[in-house]
Amino acid sequence: MEDTPKKKLSLIAFSGEFDKLTAVFTLATGAAAVGYEVNIFFTFWGIGPRIFRSLMRKNNVATLEELIQKQATLFNMIH
């Protein structure tokens, strides 16, 4: 008996807007329903700024603004 590889679908969520996320999840759900292995990659914009900031705070990661501030401070120290 021959092993057939499982069909796979990878999607990229590049926007946190409702209509675009609805399309991503509709495709993912449909593909999973017919046996596909589904992976969704969320870009920075795909997870939305509020969720991204929340995850950063929860994991004690500097915000984008904090990183920019530190970069500016370091740049001024070097030059």
Side-chain angles (χ1 to χ4, degrees), residues 11-45:
L11 299 165
I12 300 172
F14 61 89
S15 171
E17 294 178 24
F18 181 77
D19 61 333
K20 292 179 179 74
L21 288 177
T22 300
V24 167
F25 285 107
T26 300
L27 289 168
T29 302
V34 294
Y36 278 68
E37 178 183 319
V38 179
N39 295 295
I40 303 174
F41 175 77
F42 291 89
T43 66
F44 173 79
W45 298 274

Side-chain angles (χ1 to χ4, degrees), residues 26-72:
T26 300
L27 289 168
T29 302
V34 294
Y36 278 68
E37 178 183 319
V38 179
N39 295 295
I40 303 174
F41 175 77
F42 291 89
T43 66
F44 173 79
W45 298 274
I47 61 173
R50 285 180 287 182
I51 295 171
F52 193 72
R53 286 180 192 277
S54 173
L55 288 171
M56 291 173 82
R57 272 193 300 274
K58 182 179 176 183
N59 292 293
N60 200 29
V61 175
T63 64
L64 181 58
E65 291 82 7
E66 291 170 335
L67 292 172
I68 291 169
Q69 177 74 29
K70 289 179 184 191
Q71 183 272 334

